[in-house]
Amino acid sequence: MKRWGDLSQEAADHLAAGAVLDQAEMAVIVTDRFSNLLYWNPFAEKLFGTQDRSPSRDSSLSLGILEKGHPVAVELAKHVLNGGVWEGTFDVRRADGTIVYVRAQAVPLRHPSGQVTGIVLTAREALRSNEREKDRFGLLERIGERLAGSLYVEETLKRVAEMLVPQFADHCFIELMEGDRLVRRVSQHVQGWTPPSGTWKPVGAEIRYPSGHYADTALRRQETILVEDFSRSRYPAPHEGSARLCGEIGMTSAIVAPLLVRGETLGLMYLGLSNLTDRRSPHYDAFDRDFVGAIATRVALAIDNALLFEEERHTAESFQKYLLPRALPQLDGLQIAVRYYPAAPLASHGQGIQTQVGGDWYDVIPLSAGRVGIVIGDVEGRGAKAAAIMGQLRAALRAFAQDDKSPADILARLDEWTRIIATPEQDDKGGEVSIPPIVTCQYLVYDAWSRQLSFANAGHAPPLLLVDGECRELEIEEVGQPLGVRAKGLHADLVYKEETRTLPPGAALLLYTDGLVDRRPSRDGTSPSEEETLGILCEKLSKLSGAEVERIADAATVAVPGEIDDDMAILVVRSSDVDLDVESRTFPAQPIMVGEARRMAAEAFASWNVPEERAELACLLVSEVVTNVVLHAAAAGVPRRELVVEGPPLPFEESWDVPGLEEEEVGDKEFTLRLRRGAESVWVEVFDQDLRLPRIRSAGENDEGGRGLYLVDQLARRWGSRPTREGKAVWFEIPTRGR
C-alpha cells in the first residue's frame, strides 16, 4: 500500500507543469533574454487574441502591446533581466481590433545555475477590476463635489440622477418620506425615454411597494438590496402596469439603497439596468451594490443638509412674509410701490451657509389727518435671527409712530428699544453683556396737502429724488449713527436730528437698502464700488423720472448688473402733481366762534360735495371739538408774571387780584380749524396753544359736560391728538363713502 501523498504515474503526468498551466485562468508567457516568445498557455491565447505567436517574434509586437506601451516593455525587460520584479498595466490590441486593459507581473526566469535566462510574465484582464474601480471611485468623487455645492433638495436630487444616468444606470428613482408616505421626487431615464402613462408612477405620486418586493425589503431592513438578474428572480410588482413595462423594456438588474442619516430613513434610491442600452455587462454585482451604498450615504447627508437649510429658510421667509406689510394702504396724494428680493445663499464670515433672507424692511404707516409715516431699514446679518429682530423693530416703530412725535423722537425711542431686545451674551469672565444689533433706519413723515417731508436718519443711505428728468440723492445734513451703536452718556437728541424738505409736485422718492447697490464680485474677483453702482442706478432712473412708481421699482431692481450680495428692499413714493383740497382759518378762543367754525365747515363740505349726512355728522363733531378747546382755553390758569416795582422784584402770587389781567390773557388765545378732503374721507384738525392733551372721561348723570370726546370717539372712524410746537392738535376722520 502506498503512503499518503504518493502519486501514481498518471497523476504525476496530470500535475506536470505544462498540464497545470494549460488549465490556469491566468495568462503565462515566457520569453528569452532577447524578448522572443518561448511559451504561452491557452489562457494567454484567449486574453491576447489569435495573433501570430511563433517563436523568435518580438514579445511587445506579438502580444499586441500598443505603441505607447513599447517604452514600458523595454524598461520592463531591462529591469527583470537584471534580477528585479516588475508589476504594472498596459493596453493590448487584439487581432480582432478590440483593446483590453491588462494587469501584468514579470519575474526573472533563472537557470539552475542561477543565471537569468529570460522573463516569465503572468497577466489578467483588469477591465472588470482595477479600471472599473478607478471609474467608479471617480464617479463617487464627482458626485461628492456636486453635492457639496447643493443647498436645495430638488437640486440635490436632480444632480445625483443626472450623474448616475446613463453612466451607471438606465433608470433612477429617488423617493423621500413625507410623514408616513413615500413620495417619488425624481424619475430619470436614458435617451430621453419616459415611461408611458399608467406604468411607472410619475414624480409627485405616492409609492407603495408590496410586501416581498426588494425595495420594501431594503426599506424594512435598512440595507442595500441587489437584484443581480431578474430572469432568475421573481418579485411581486407594485401594479400590473409596472410589471408589463419591465417586461417590455427588458429590465435586467437593479439595486435599491435606503437613504439613512442620523438613524432616520429619509427615503430610497433605486437604480436599474434594462435593454434600452447596450452595455458590456447588463447586470450589477456585489461591487456595484457596495458602490451604490456609498453613494446613498453621501446623498442622504446632502438631502438632510438641504432639508435643514430649507427649514431655516422657510422659517426666515415666514418671518418676513408675515412681518412685512402684506398690503399697502391707499393714501391720498401719494403713489407707492415696494419690492423685496432675498439674496442667494452664501457661505461667508465664518457663519457657514446662510439663508437668503435678512433683516431689510419697509413700512408705510397712516398717521393723523392723512399724513403718512414712511420707513426703510436694515438689520445687520442674515437668516432667521435678523428677520426676527426686524419684526420686533417694525412692530415697535409702528407703535411709536402712533404718538405722532417728530421723526427724531421716534428714532431715539427705537434706539432705546434696540438695546432692550439685545440678546445677552457672556464675556471672558462669565458676565452677561448685551450687544445690541446694528440697524440702519430712516423714518419720514409726509403731508400730502402741504407737500412737507420731515425726516430723521440713523446711518441709512439717503433716498434718491427723481424730478424733472434728474436723479440725485436727497440732501441730508445729519445722517446720524445706526441704531444700537450710540455711546453711553450721549443723549439721543444729539444723534438724531429732524430735517424738513418740500417735495415738488410729481416728484418721486426711491428709498432702498444697500442690497440694491452691493454686488458680488465677478469671476475675476473684481466688483464695482458703491459710488459706481449708484451712478449706474441714477443714470438709468433719470430717464424714468416721470414714469409710474411700479415701473420705477422694476427698473431699479435690474439697473445694476451682477448678482445681489444681500437682500434688497425698495420703496418708491410719488407726490401728487395737483394740490389737494384744504381749508384753514384761525379764530379767537371765544364761545361765539363755535358757530362760526361750524359755518365754515358746512360751507367747505358743501363745496366739496360731501354727502349731506356725512357733512352734518362732521359739523356736529366740529362743534364738540371746538367747544372743548374754547372751554379749556377759558379755564386755563393765568401764567405767572412778575410785578416790577421799585426795589427788588417780587414774585407774582395767584391770590393777588389784578383787574383785567385774566380777561386780557384769555382774549389773546386762539385756535385754528383746518379741513382736508381726501378720496374717501375728510379730516378735521383743531389747533390751539394748550399743551394738555384731551382724554375721554366718564360724565355723571347730572353733569352738563364731559360727553364731547365720547361722541367723537363713537361717531368718527378715527380720532386722536398730537403735540405741536405751539401746543397740540385734535383731529378726527369722517368717511365720505360707507362707514
Side-chain angles (χ1 to χ4, degrees):
M1 181 179 179
K2 293 184 178 181
R3 294 175 298 176
W4 182 87
D6 290 343
L7 298 177
S8 64
Q9 184 61 42
E10 181 181 358
D13 293 341
H14 181 70
L15 292 178
V20 173
L21 292 178
D22 286 348
Q23 299 183 45
E25 291 291 320
M26 176 177 290
V28 179
I29 301 170
V30 180
T31 69
D32 61 15
R33 292 184 58 86
F34 304 101
S35 297
N36 295 316
L37 288 172
L38 301 178
Y39 171 83
W40 57 91
N41 67 344
F43 192 85
E45 294 280 352
K46 180 180 178 181
L47 178 63
F48 294 102
T50 57
Q51 301 188 44
D52 179 15
R53 289 176 173 73
S54 302
S56 302
R57 287 291 304 267
D58 184 277
S59 62
S60 63
L61 296 177
S62 55
L63 291 179
I65 298 176
L66 295 183
E67 185 177 354
K68 66 178 182 180
H70 290 178
V72 177
V74 173
E75 292 300 323
L76 176 157
K78 291 181 179 179
H79 180 73
V80 176
L81 292 175
N82 288 329
V85 177
W86 181 91
E87 185 173 357
T89 57
F90 49 82
D91 296 321
V92 171
R93 185 186 301 276
R94 300 182 181 184
D96 59 2
T98 60
I99 297 177
V100 293
Y101 191 61
V102 174
R103 182 74 176 176
Q105 184 183 53
V107 297
L109 176 65
R110 296 182 182 273
H111 188 270
S113 64
Q115 182 181 2
V116 177
T117 60
I119 299 172
V120 178
L121 184 76
T122 58
R124 57 186 173 86
E125 184 180 0
L127 180 64
R128 294 185 55 82
S129 55
N130 300 73
E131 187 179 71
R132 187 177 67 165
E133 291 176 11
K134 180 180 179 181
D135 179 65
R136 294 292 184 262
F137 287 122
L139 176 60
L140 183 62
E141 183 178 358
R142 292 194 299 274
I143 289 176
E145 292 175 354
R146 295 286 297 272
L147 292 180
S150 176
L151 291 174
Y152 302 98
V153 174
E154 297 300 331
E155 181 183 3
T156 298
L157 301 181
K158 182 178 179 181
R159 287 185 175 187
V160 172
E162 289 178 346
M163 296 198 70
L164 292 175
V165 177
Q167 181 173 348
F168 186 75
D170 296 336
H171 312 277
C172 175
F173 300 110
I174 300 180
E175 294 138 7
L176 298 184
M177 299 297 299
E178 295 182 4
D180 297 332
R181 302 166 62 243
L182 187 65
V183 178
R184 181 156 292 169
R185 303 290 291 272
V186 168
S187 179
Q188 185 82 10
H189 309 277
V190 294
Q191 301 173 350
W193 180 86
T194 56
S197 177
T199 55
W200 289 341
K201 295 287 186 180
V203 173
E206 180 180 0
I207 306 300
R208 296 182 179 179
Y209 292 109
S211 178
H213 192 277
Y214 51 93
D216 178 68
T217 303
L219 199 60
R220 286 188 294 102
R221 295 183 181 177
Q222 294 189 347
E223 64 181 31
T224 304
I225 299 298
L226 165 67
V227 180
E228 189 169 351
D229 191 346
F230 277 112
S231 64
R232 301 178 182 178
S233 307
R234 292 291 182 268
Y235 297 96
H239 53 85
E240 183 179 350
S242 174
R244 185 176 65 254
L245 182 63
C246 287
E248 292 176 356
I249 65 175
M251 288 292 294
T252 58
S253 188
I255 300 176
V256 182
L259 302 174
L260 305 174
V261 63
R262 294 184 286 110
E264 180 182 358
T265 302
L266 301 181
L268 289 175
M269 183 171 68
Y270 181 108
L271 300 176
L273 296 176
S274 68
N275 291 332
L276 292 177
T277 58
D278 184 16
R279 298 177 182 271
R280 177 182 293 271
S281 175
H283 302 283
Y284 291 127
D285 56 19
F287 178 80
D288 296 323
R289 178 193 58 200
D290 297 340
F291 173 68
V292 172
I295 293 178
T297 300
R298 296 198 177 194
V299 172
L301 288 172
I303 292 174
D304 187 55
N305 290 335
L307 289 172
L308 293 174
F309 174 79
E310 289 192 356
E311 181 179 356
E312 181 184 355
R313 183 192 63 177
H314 175 72
T315 301
E317 285 181 341
S318 297
F319 271 118
Q320 291 194 317
K321 178 180 178 181
Y322 292 103
L323 295 179
L324 288 177
R326 293 193 182 183
L328 298 176
Q330 296 294 325
L331 300 168
D332 291 300
L334 203 61
Q335 299 177 14
I336 305 174
V338 295
R339 296 289 186 274
Y340 175 80
Y341 293 94
L346 179 67
S348 63
H349 307 300
Q351 300 174 24
I353 299 298
Q354 304 171 44
T355 56
Q356 72 224 48
V357 292
D360 291 13
W361 94 94
Y362 58 83
D363 207 351
V364 179
I365 309 170
L367 301 177
S368 62
R371 295 155 62 248
V372 57
I374 303 171
V375 189
I376 191 78
D378 186 0
V379 179
E380 184 184 46
R382 299 172 67 182
K385 181 179 179 181
I389 295 174
M390 175 273 292
Q392 296 182 70
L393 293 177
R394 175 176 175 261
L397 193 147
R398 288 186 71 91
F400 298 156
Q402 300 307 314
D403 290 343
D404 266 328
K405 295 290 184 64
S406 70
D409 291 337
I410 298 297
L411 287 187
R413 294 187 64 182
L414 194 64
D415 177 68
E416 293 296 334
W417 184 253
T418 304
R419 300 170 186 276
I420 292 174
I421 65 174
T423 303
E425 299 180 4
Q426 289 188 344
D427 58 15
D428 297 337
K429 298 181 180 179
E432 287 193 352
V433 178
S434 293
I435 303 178
I438 299 177
V439 183
T440 63
C441 180
Q442 188 166 44
Y443 180 60
L444 309 90
V445 175
Y446 180 64
D447 188 334
W449 282 263
S450 66
R451 304 185 188 280
Q452 189 177 74
L453 182 71
S454 301
F455 58 88
N457 195 303
H460 202 81
L464 300 179
L465 177 64
L466 285 73
V467 60
D468 297 334
E470 295 183 2
C471 176
R472 62 179 184 276
E473 288 188 340
L474 183 69
E475 183 181 351
I476 296 180
E477 297 178 359
E478 298 287 344
V479 175
Q481 295 180 358
L483 306 176
V485 301
R486 176 169 53 90
K488 291 184 178 181
L490 184 62
H491 197 274
D493 292 344
L494 302 177
V495 179
Y496 308 115
K497 302 291 185 179
E498 180 180 359
E499 301 181 45
T500 302
R501 303 286 185 273
T502 300
L503 287 186
L509 276 180
L510 173 68
L511 292 82
Y512 63 93
T513 57
D514 55 5
L516 178 62
V517 293
D518 287 345
R519 289 295 182 270
R520 289 186 180 178
S522 58
R523 293 184 178 180
D524 59 3
T526 62
S527 58
S529 65
E530 185 172 333
E531 291 75 12
E532 293 174 339
T533 55
L534 187 60
I536 295 173
L537 179 64
C538 287
E539 179 182 359
K540 295 185 178 181
L541 292 183
S542 61
K543 303 175 183 178
L544 300 172
S545 61
E548 295 293 326
V549 290
E550 293 289 342
R551 187 180 174 191
I552 293 175
D554 289 335
T557 59
V558 297
V560 181
E563 186 178 4
I564 62 175
D565 192 49
D566 196 1
D567 52 337
M568 174 174 63
I570 298 174
L571 191 151
V572 184
V573 296
R574 181 184 293 284
S575 65
S576 174
D577 54 2
V578 297
D579 294 334
L580 303 184
D581 292 326
V582 60
E583 294 287 345
S584 180
R585 181 178 170 186
T586 300
F587 301 89
Q590 299 174 2
I592 195 174
M593 292 295 104
V594 175
E596 289 296 322
R598 179 163 181 162
R599 184 179 300 109
M600 170 197 165
E603 293 175 353
F605 296 150
S607 65
W608 293 342
N609 296 320
V610 176
E612 183 177 355
E613 179 184 356
R614 300 295 178 182
E616 290 180 356
L617 175 60
C619 289
L620 170 64
L621 299 186
V622 167
S623 298
E624 294 296 333
V625 174
V626 171
T627 299
N628 189 67
V629 168
V630 171
L631 290 177
H632 282 83
V638 179
R640 297 178 180 232
R641 292 188 175 182
E642 289 185 348
L643 181 62
V644 180
V645 296
E646 293 183 0
L650 299 175
F652 180 80
E653 294 186 5
E654 292 183 0
S655 59
W656 290 12
D657 185 13
V658 182
L661 184 58
E662 183 176 352
E663 291 77 2
E664 179 183 354
E665 281 300 311
V666 174
D668 288 345
K669 292 188 176 181
E670 55 188 17
F671 68 89
T672 299
L673 175 64
R674 185 166 69 187
L675 311 174
R676 297 182 170 193
R677 182 178 73 162
E680 297 183 353
S681 299
V682 292
W683 285 273
V684 176
E685 294 176 287
V686 179
F687 300 85
D688 68 350
Q689 292 81 37
D690 193 349
L691 297 176
R692 296 171 296 176
L693 299 179
R695 61 182 179 87
I696 299 176
R697 64 184 180 87
S698 300
E701 185 176 329
N702 299 321
D703 290 348
E704 296 182 0
R707 298 178 178 83
L709 290 181
Y710 178 79
L711 288 175
V712 174
D713 183 63
Q714 294 296 312
L715 300 178
R717 172 185 287 177
R718 293 191 306 154
W719 80 279
S721 61
R722 69 176 186 271
T724 63
R725 293 181 179 179
E726 296 79 17
K728 70 173 182 297
V730 181
W731 61 273
F732 62 84
E733 177 187 357
I734 297 293
T736 56
R737 301 178 184 176
R739 173 57 179 158

